[in-house]
Amino acid sequence: MSQLRAFAAVADYLHFRDAAAAVGTSQPALSGAIAALEDALGTQLVERTTRRVLLTPAGERVARHTRRVLDALADLVDEAESARRPFTGPLHLGVIPTVAPYVLPALLRLAREEYPDLQLYVHEEQTGSLMDGLTGGRLDLLLLALPSPGLGGVEEIPLYEEDFTLIVPEGHELAGRRNLPRAALRELDVLLLDEGHCLRDQALDVCREVGASEAGATRAASLPTLVQLVAGGLGVTLLPQTAIDVETRPGSQLAVSRFAAPAPYRRIGLVMRSSTGRGAEFADLAVALRRAVGDLPVRVVR
């Protein structure tokens, strides 16, 4: 590379003294670098006369390639420097569907205000697909319910916990209740999400704990559909606290009931590959995310 830089300077200045000054070396060292490059390429690049320096036809062609090589090298160095700086370049973030609509506004605002050089790409998928994407290198970082599926080679950073609430139709006998015992679920038709959603598994755990069961074969692919089924009188369901304002807004024909302490809850956090070179960056991001969700109805985990 030093030989190419020397040759590029000679091609630009057509003067050994000026070229040597431009690259910060002596004229003898510059001449030696040019001679070494000619020897390596097996062709004469520079014609030296007593009055001036000329490029040979081969030198003219090699000079054009040399400039492209040096430009590419500069780009490579810039890219490497950017990669060493945190929160620059692309970040492919996977998010589960029962978190994305409710937490992404805070996350995107954080990225826009604090990490303007970060190119954030969001992938909303179910947990199994996200874990495959992470371990396969398609995704860099995940935001999902913890603990993550028992795969090796990953690390978790907890962010927050949020309680589950019971969602019932307006006018239901449990509408608006507080300090609701979990055992009340035994007498209810509990609607759940489809297979593959981690929220389904968490809700099933709550039901099994008190001996309740899922209502028939009715299931939904998303929380908005699930609450519509509840509004239509097909049963009740469990929602995480962050989804309440969005899914039970005025006019939704839904009511919220809250469980007695300790309420069932879920824990949300980041998951990354243990081998990632961005571990320190993701740890800093976790700190910022805990601040960003401070206005949400959650308990931050530090």
Side-chain angles (χ1 to χ4, degrees), residues 19-89:
V23 297
T25 189
S26 65
Q27 288 189 53
L30 182 80
S31 297
I34 299 299
L37 181 62
E38 290 175 326
D39 185 59
L41 297 178
T43 188
Q44 183 180 354
L45 303 175
V46 176
E47 181 180 342
R48 303 163 180 82
T49 70
T50 56
R51 299 184 58 183
R52 58 186 306 187
V53 175
L54 301 174
L55 297 183
T56 66
E60 293 281 359
R61 294 196 295 273
V62 171
R64 290 194 294 271
H65 286 290
T66 296
R67 293 185 180 96
R68 287 199 292 270
V69 169
L70 293 176
D71 287 343
L73 177 63
D75 290 342
L76 175 64
V77 171
D78 289 343
E79 190 69 26
E81 289 178 349
S82 294
R84 287 198 300 270
R85 295 196 305 272
F87 305 112
T88 59

Side-chain angles (χ1 to χ4, degrees), residues 118-147:
L118 184 67
Q119 301 167 25
L120 182 62
Y121 301 93
V122 176
H123 306 259
E124 185 186 55
E125 302 169 22
Q126 293 184 9
T127 301
S129 175
L130 292 179
M131 293 301 296
D132 289 342
L134 181 70
T135 56
R138 176 173 61 88
L139 301 175
D140 302 309
L141 187 66
L142 307 182
L143 179 62
L144 44 70
L146 303 181

Side-chain angles (χ1 to χ4, degrees), residues 91 140-141 157 270 272 276 278-287:
L91 171 61
D140 302 309
L141 187 66
I157 306 177
L270 298 176
M272 61 183 171
T276 183
R278 305 175 72 178
E281 177 182 350
F282 294 158
D284 289 344
L285 179 61
V287 173

Side-chain angles (χ1 to χ4, degrees), residues 164-168 174-178 180 255-259:
F164 285 112
T165 56
L166 182 67
I167 307 302
V168 300
L174 297 180
R177 282 277 302 274
R178 294 183 178 272
L180 186 70
V256 179
S257 300
R258 303 184 187 279
F259 290 99

Side-chain angles (χ1 to χ4, degrees), residues 96-103 105 124 162 165-170 193 199 220-232 237-256 258 266 297:
I96 55 175
T98 59
V99 166
Y102 319 114
V103 176
E124 185 186 55
E162 60 177 328
T165 56
L166 182 67
I167 307 302
V168 300
E170 277 184 341
L193 291 172
L199 183 59
S222 67
L223 288 185
T225 301
L226 194 61
V227 297
Q228 287 301 311
L229 296 176
V230 174
T237 195
L238 298 174
L239 279 191
Q241 188 75 28
T242 52
I244 297 301
D245 287 346
V246 175
E247 304 299 347
T248 65
R249 59 175 62 90
S252 64
Q253 299 181 315
L254 296 167
V256 179
R258 303 184 187 279
R266 69 174 180 174

Side-chain angles (χ1 to χ4, degrees), residues 182-221:
R182 300 188 196 191
L185 293 173
R186 294 182 197 145
E187 311 301 325
L188 302 173
D189 293 329
V190 183
L191 302 174
L192 301 177
L193 291 172
D194 283 337
E195 299 282 354
H197 290 275
C198 61
L199 183 59
R200 169 185 171 79
D201 298 330
Q202 294 158 351
L204 273 175
D205 288 341
V206 176
C207 292
R208 289 172 182 144
E209 180 184 326
V210 297
S213 59
E214 180 181 3
T218 300
R219 297 178 184 173

